[in-house]
Amino acid sequence: MNIVIIGGVAAGAKAAAKIKRLLPNSNVTIYTDDTHVSYSACGLPYYIEGSFSDYRSLLVRSVEEFKVSGIDVYLNTRADKILPQQHQVLVSTNNDAKLVKYDKLIIATGARPYIPDIIGVNDFDNIYTLRKIEDGIKIREKMLQSAHATIVGSGFIGLELLEAFTKNGLSVDVIERNDRLIKAFDPDMSEHIRTRLESIEQRTFRFHTSENVIEITGNDRIAHTVKTQSGKEIHTDMIILCVGVVPNSELAKDAGIEIGKTGAIKVNKLMQTSIEDIYACGDCCEENHIVSGQDVWVPLGSTANKEGRCAALNAAGQYTVFEGVLGSIVSRCLNTTMAMTGLNETSAKEAGYTPVSTIISKPDMVAYMPNVGDITLKVIADKVTGLLLGGQAIGSFGADKRINSLATALLAHMTVNDFKNNDLTYSPPYSTTIDPLLDAMNILCTKITKHC
Amino acid sequence: MNIVIIGGVAAGAKAAAKIKRLLPNSNVTIYTDDTHVSYSACGLPYYIEGSFSDYRSLLVRSVEEFKVSGIDVYLNTRADKILPQQHQVLVSTNNDAKLVKYDKLIIATGARPYIPDIIGVNDFDNIYTLRKIEDGIKIREKMLQSAHATIVGSGFIGLELLEAFTKNGLSVDVIERNDRLIKAFDPDMSEHIRTRLESIEQRTFRFHTSENVIEITGNDRIAHTVKTQSGKEIHTDMIILCVGVVPNSELAKDAGIEIGKTGAIKVNKLMQTSIEDIYACGDCCEENHIVSGQDVWVPLGSTANKEGRCAALNAAGQYTVFEGVLGSIVSRCLNTTMAMTGLNETSAKEAGYTPVSTIISKPDMVAYMPNVGDITLKVIADKVTGLLLGGQAIGSFGADKRINSLATALLAHMTVNDFKNNDLTYSPPYSTTIDPLLDAMNILCTKITKHC
């Protein structure tokens, strides 16, 4: 049995390792146009920051390690065309091309950075995106010689790089076309993130929201000025584009595989595409949102691993389902933890709910303890049914832990009333006597009289 | 309307504050034989340790603050007898006694330390238990003049005091009659706690398990030697008895109120006792265990607060239920976090389940990050149905967060299969790509073939 896997960062690498264990006699081959296989892309901001010195710490399994497990990996090898009828894939390097046979094909082509339409965006060598190992190496090298960086986009990666750059002594301007940072958060919580970050003493960064970059200028392939729509001119040493990613779904689309409305590959809960014997997993495919029941595209490394595992099990003939995602995310920027799960108020309304919410600000442990931190927690529920819909947390290191408890509640379709007396652990170094989550539930209960 | 509350530490104080807000025109009175009201008893080990300098940080609301809210508090006042027929309580101080009328009575008499049957246990002034504010003050004063302490009992409070004493430079012997530390944990996890604590370099403490104290000797009311059954003689400056607590249920029993088989007051989910207009809450009453459905007695401050609130709401005529507890606990000893929820293997068998379990040891975040910690996690499920039953976590600071996610799953009666693809947040500073909880679920799935 020939198992061909296209792509090998997270989902593809996981699928390969799993299926080889399940079917030791099969031929498992990974083709990837990347220079590396099986690595932690989520760790690149921390490599750039200098949290560890060798980028090879990010490598999970090397080509040689795959080889020892009986898996062949072809780096720098593009998959140009899938021929479903013939069960073949056309792959090529810069020197060669060949057709490879598959019995089961797993597409794990991932996503790529979106390049915004800015004059000059392709003209300079010091404009970067962050996706692959070599991107991280180049950005770190340039950062070490720079005094100023411009980050375009204030999503999670933009703010992680803000941390990396400021910790390395750079002055940073962040330009965001929306009216707030991290638009996955509700406006009130985005505002809280901004206030918290801007309260840092002697900060060396500035946020420019509702601001579009219209032109980048420079000389000799070195950009030095970023011009915005409102007329600002920012002189800079390097520019990072962090304005989102797009799924690498063109190969699948070209093969006649159904693409979802999000633009990513449509799969069922077995990770099967619309064409027999072809599976997809990871950042290239969309998921079911467990709360809304809608198709969403939330490309994340943790999900990619689970989907890779699920695709492998099903491709190997073992039935297992991946129910979907909650959109759970955590990210850190300069001692601010930002975490969320489920629907925000906007997506809750779009899904047909009547969201009601509360925001609690509290210490993250009993206030008399040393090193007490803070947490601002928002919980959202449906006013009609009391169903929990989502939550967002901002604060010191423990803020994310509440989001994981809430994610579990969302997975179980719990109501506010189901949750409100949850027996969460308590001890002064770990939580307040009544955890912020339970405070939020009690307040929500008074707002949802009927089902509470 | 006269609301009388007996006891005012956590449940009583919470009930008083809540009912006064619900019924502002009622007379709310707290009678307590304690010298303080409304305080964080769980914080006493950290006061002793010196995490904060003024014991008054532990006080949540003072008598004066209650007075401002319209609540009368009588300290040093015993409730000697409840007369349910007459709706009266006999209360007394050292100088006086009176009968007080109630329309609703809330019993929140708490628990008291169990005093083991040891020769000499009542004969010396440097033998302590830790329950009340003045206990904490006395222990801290004595600790500051001591070089050696003996802790009898290795439960959570015993180990919290071990931390306090060793951080203050004392040499400590811990004597435990069971064959392991913290018997709420399964033996394998208890062993792990011991190994972790004993691996501390230059430690100044020793554990003696399977060892009974049979006699304490000394002179002039100062104990100086602890003698054990096996013949050990430990010379010491102070002795702390941490061998558990017993519910203060005698007053209720004397009034004809039904006592549960645990020895604590039996209440229904509205916190009503067997006698009309009398409620009980906090450490003096037992609870329903949400996983096993059995009556249990798990006296904890967080539960006391929830029960106090529930009793107040129902006494005020607003219907609300407290479904019960999961036995969730977290405690810290010298950078070791110990947390648990639900049933352990022993209690799972007692409840009629067929427990199957797995233990995972992993870093608590991606291993290339600085300050990476560790977590050892045990998850227990029912082999027949796949129902999640409980879990235990030991490790660095983030270990407890997994237990809260698991507690939420227990509250929702989730199975291993329901949980195994839970969308928990991931980012390198916060978790491994596949969280230890999900690793555990995947392994359990392979052990529970039918329902996974």
Side-chain angles (χ1 to χ4, degrees):
Chain A
M1 184 138 157
N2 289 314
I3 318 285
V4 171
I5 298 168
I6 306 173
V9 178
K14 182 78 180 182
K18 186 74 191 172
I19 207 162
K20 187 68 188 176
R21 276 199 299 274
L22 294 168
L23 304 173
N25 296 323
S26 61
N27 300 313
V28 180
T29 315
I30 296 175
Y31 296 96
T32 173
D33 59 3
D34 205 334
T35 53
H36 292 82
V37 70
S38 189
Y39 59 86
S40 169
C42 305
L44 286 167
Y46 307 99
Y47 167 68
I48 295 169
E49 181 168 326
S51 296
F52 48 96
S53 58
D54 189 340
Y55 77 85
R56 284 172 292 190
S57 297
L58 296 168
L59 307 180
V60 181
R61 274 187 218 89
S62 66
V63 173
E64 293 68 33
E65 286 167 313
F66 275 111
K67 188 82 195 163
V68 169
S69 313
I71 297 165
D72 291 317
V73 180
Y74 293 89
L75 300 176
N76 304 304
T77 305
R78 288 182 304 278
D80 298 308
K81 198 165 184 67
I82 300 167
L83 306 159
Q85 205 70 33
Q86 296 85 345
H87 276 53
Q88 289 187 325
V89 182
L90 174 67
V91 299
S92 68
T93 63
N94 287 341
N95 311 317
D96 200 12
K98 65 175 173 177
L99 281 166
V100 294
K101 286 285 290 176
Y102 68 81
D103 295 296
K104 303 283 180 187
L105 175 66
I106 299 177
I107 302 175
T109 42
R112 64 182 180 275
Y114 172 71
I115 306 298
D117 186 21
I118 295 169
I119 298 166
V121 76
N122 295 311
D123 299 346
F124 305 104
D125 296 333
N126 59 337
I127 302 179
Y128 305 87
T129 57
L130 179 60
R131 183 78 195 168
K132 298 183 176 184
I133 293 277
E134 60 264 35
D135 300 331
I137 294 171
K138 279 186 211 158
I139 291 172
R140 179 163 168 82
E141 277 174 5
K142 180 68 181 173
M143 176 194 72
L144 294 174
Q145 308 153 13
S146 295
H148 183 278
T150 302
I151 297 172
V152 184
S154 70
F156 292 108
I157 296 176
L159 293 192
E160 287 170 5
L161 286 176
L162 172 64
E163 170 180 310
F165 293 160
T166 56
K167 285 200 178 168
N168 281 277
L170 275 69
S171 171
V172 182
D173 283 86
V174 179
I175 302 174
E176 169 59 57
R177 69 185 174 92
N178 290 294
D179 60 357
R180 62 182 202 269
L181 311 183
I182 310 248
K183 71 171 195 291
F185 281 82
D186 284 321
D188 42 16
M189 296 297 275
S190 281
E191 189 57 35
H192 186 77
I193 293 170
R194 182 170 185 157
T195 304
R196 206 173 190 282
L197 291 174
E198 289 187 336
S199 72
I200 294 171
E201 280 179 38
Q202 299 179 301
R203 70 184 156 91
T204 59
F205 59 88
R206 292 146 301 279
F207 295 120
H208 308 268
T209 46
S210 302
E211 188 71 271
N212 275 293
V213 177
I214 54 166
E215 188 177 0
I216 300 172
T217 58
N219 302 105
D220 298 333
R221 294 202 61 80
I222 303 300
H224 54 55
T225 304
V226 174
K227 296 183 182 176
T228 73
Q229 202 158 19
S230 76
K232 287 180 186 167
E233 292 202 359
I234 296 167
H235 298 284
T236 196
D237 299 316
M238 60 191 300
I239 299 159
I240 327 288
L241 305 173
C242 305
V243 293
V245 287
V246 288
N248 290 323
S249 53
E250 292 82 356
L251 179 72
K253 188 179 180 184
D254 172 69
I257 291 170
E258 187 180 349
I259 303 299
K261 68 176 170 44
T262 66
I265 301 169
K266 202 167 177 63
V267 287
N268 63 15
K269 290 184 180 177
L270 309 184
M271 308 314 294
Q272 292 172 315
T273 68
S274 62
I275 294 184
E276 205 177 347
D277 294 328
I278 304 182
Y279 298 77
C281 53
D283 290 359
C284 63
C285 69
E286 60 180 32
E287 294 92 14
N288 170 54
H289 195 292
I290 286 168
V291 180
S292 71
Q294 295 173 334
D295 292 333
V296 292
W297 185 54
V298 189
L300 288 173
S302 47
T303 302
N305 268 278
K306 290 170 200 156
E307 291 180 347
R309 188 177 182 281
C310 179
L313 279 156
N314 287 303
Q318 295 193 15
Y319 177 84
T320 189
V321 300
F322 179 70
E323 291 291 345
V325 299
L326 298 163
S328 305
I329 299 178
V330 64
S331 179
R332 185 183 77 186
C333 181
L334 296 165
N335 294 326
T336 290
T337 293
M338 303 167 284
M340 61 180 298
T341 189
L343 306 178
N344 60 25
E345 286 196 84
T346 306
S347 57
K349 279 177 201 155
E350 282 168 8
Y353 294 107
T354 306
V356 57
S357 69
T358 190
I359 295 180
I360 297 278
S361 285
K362 264 187 107 155
D364 67 349
M365 61 181 85
V366 181
Y368 52 69
M369 293 300 288
N371 308 317
V372 62
D374 67 289
I375 174 168
T376 295
L377 176 73
K378 179 172 187 168
V379 179
I380 303 165
D382 180 43
K383 194 163 168 52
V384 180
T385 59
L387 187 72
L388 285 166
L389 299 176
Q392 297 154 41
I394 297 158
S396 43
F397 193 72
D400 61 308
K401 83 165 74 167
R402 277 75 185 191
I403 291 301
N404 281 342
S405 296
L406 192 57
T408 307
L410 298 183
L411 184 60
H413 302 290
M414 290 173 85
T415 65
V416 170
N417 196 44
D418 293 335
F419 195 105
K420 76 169 192 284
N421 284 320
N422 193 355
D423 194 1
L424 301 174
T425 57
Y426 160 63
S427 176
Y430 296 94
S431 138
T432 45
T433 316
I434 303 291
D435 191 272
L437 257 180
L438 302 181
D439 272 325
M441 297 295 165
N442 280 320
I443 292 169
L444 277 177
C445 262
T446 65
K447 295 188 179 186
I448 309 167
T449 44
K450 218 170 16 172
H451 295 275
C452 236
Chain B
M1 183 136 158
N2 289 313
I3 317 286
V4 171
I5 298 168
I6 306 174
V9 179
K14 182 78 180 181
K18 186 75 191 171
I19 206 162
K20 187 68 189 179
R21 278 200 298 274
L22 294 167
L23 305 173
N25 296 323
S26 62
N27 299 313
V28 179
T29 314
I30 296 175
Y31 296 96
T32 173
D33 60 2
D34 205 334
T35 53
H36 292 82
V37 69
S38 188
Y39 59 85
S40 169
C42 306
L44 286 166
Y46 307 99
Y47 167 69
I48 295 168
E49 180 168 327
S51 297
F52 48 95
S53 58
D54 189 339
Y55 77 85
R56 284 172 293 190
S57 297
L58 296 167
L59 307 180
V60 181
R61 274 186 217 90
S62 66
V63 172
E64 293 68 33
E65 286 167 313
F66 274 112
K67 188 79 196 166
V68 168
S69 315
I71 297 165
D72 291 317
V73 179
Y74 293 89
L75 301 176
N76 304 305
T77 305
R78 290 181 303 278
D80 297 309
K81 197 165 185 66
I82 298 167
L83 307 159
Q85 205 71 33
Q86 297 85 346
H87 275 52
Q88 290 186 326
V89 182
L90 174 66
V91 299
S92 68
T93 63
N94 287 341
N95 312 315
D96 200 12
K98 64 176 174 179
L99 282 165
V100 294
K101 286 286 288 178
Y102 68 81
D103 295 298
K104 303 283 181 187
L105 176 66
I106 299 176
I107 302 175
T109 43
R112 63 181 181 275
Y114 173 72
I115 307 297
D117 187 21
I118 296 169
I119 299 166
V121 76
N122 294 310
D123 299 345
F124 305 103
D125 296 334
N126 58 339
I127 302 178
Y128 305 88
T129 57
L130 178 60
R131 184 78 194 167
K132 298 183 174 183
I133 293 278
E134 59 265 33
D135 299 331
I137 294 171
K138 278 185 213 159
I139 292 172
R140 178 163 169 81
E141 276 174 5
K142 181 69 181 175
M143 174 195 74
L144 293 174
Q145 307 154 13
S146 296
H148 182 278
T150 302
I151 297 173
V152 184
S154 71
F156 292 108
I157 295 176
L159 293 192
E160 287 170 5
L161 285 176
L162 172 64
E163 169 179 310
F165 294 160
T166 56
K167 283 201 179 168
N168 281 277
L170 276 68
S171 171
V172 183
D173 283 86
V174 179
I175 302 172
E176 168 60 56
R177 70 186 174 91
N178 291 294
D179 61 357
R180 62 184 203 267
L181 311 183
I182 311 251
K183 72 170 195 290
F185 281 81
D186 283 322
D188 42 17
M189 295 297 274
S190 280
E191 190 56 36
H192 187 76
I193 293 170
R194 183 171 184 155
T195 305
R196 206 173 191 280
L197 291 174
E198 289 187 337
S199 72
I200 294 172
E201 280 179 39
Q202 298 180 305
R203 71 184 157 91
T204 60
F205 58 88
R206 292 147 300 279
F207 296 119
H208 309 267
T209 47
S210 302
E211 188 71 271
N212 276 293
V213 177
I214 53 165
E215 187 177 1
I216 300 172
T217 57
N219 303 104
D220 297 333
R221 295 203 60 78
I222 303 298
H224 55 55
T225 305
V226 174
K227 296 183 182 175
T228 73
Q229 203 157 19
S230 75
K232 288 182 187 166
E233 293 202 359
I234 296 167
H235 298 283
T236 195
D237 298 316
M238 60 192 299
I239 298 158
I240 327 288
L241 306 173
C242 304
V243 292
V245 288
V246 287
N248 290 323
S249 54
E250 292 82 357
L251 180 72
K253 188 179 182 187
D254 172 71
I257 290 168
E258 187 179 351
I259 303 299
K261 69 175 169 47
T262 66
I265 302 169
K266 201 169 178 65
V267 288
N268 63 14
K269 289 185 180 178
L270 310 184
M271 310 313 295
Q272 291 172 314
T273 68
S274 63
I275 294 184
E276 205 178 349
D277 294 328
I278 304 182
Y279 298 78
C281 52
D283 290 358
C284 63
C285 69
E286 61 180 32
E287 294 92 14
N288 170 54
H289 195 292
I290 287 168
V291 179
S292 70
Q294 294 175 333
D295 292 333
V296 292
W297 185 55
V298 188
L300 288 173
S302 47
T303 302
N305 267 276
K306 291 170 199 154
E307 291 180 348
R309 189 177 181 281
C310 179
L313 279 157
N314 287 304
Q318 295 192 15
Y319 177 84
T320 190
V321 300
F322 179 71
E323 290 292 345
V325 300
L326 298 163
S328 305
I329 299 180
V330 63
S331 179
R332 185 183 77 187
C333 181
L334 295 166
N335 295 325
T336 290
T337 292
M338 303 166 283
M340 61 179 297
T341 189
L343 306 178
N344 60 25
E345 286 195 84
T346 306
S347 57
K349 278 177 203 156
E350 283 168 8
Y353 294 106
T354 307
V356 56
S357 69
T358 189
I359 295 181
I360 297 279
S361 285
K362 261 187 108 153
D364 66 348
M365 61 180 85
V366 181
Y368 53 68
M369 293 299 290
N371 306 318
V372 62
D374 67 288
I375 174 168
T376 295
L377 176 72
K378 178 171 187 169
V379 179
I380 303 164
D382 180 44
K383 193 162 168 53
V384 181
T385 60
L387 187 72
L388 285 166
L389 299 176
Q392 296 154 42
I394 296 158
S396 44
F397 193 71
D400 61 308
K401 81 164 74 166
R402 277 75 184 191
I403 291 301
N404 282 341
S405 295
L406 192 57
T408 307
L410 297 182
L411 185 60
H413 303 290
M414 290 172 85
T415 65
V416 170
N417 196 44
D418 294 334
F419 195 106
K420 76 168 192 283
N421 283 321
N422 195 355
D423 193 1
L424 301 174
T425 56
Y426 159 63
S427 176
Y430 296 95
S431 142
T432 43
T433 316
I434 302 292
D435 192 272
L437 258 180
L438 302 181
D439 274 324
M441 297 295 164
N442 280 320
I443 293 169
L444 277 177
C445 263
T446 65
K447 296 189 179 185
I448 308 167
T449 44
K450 216 168 22 170
H451 295 275
C452 235

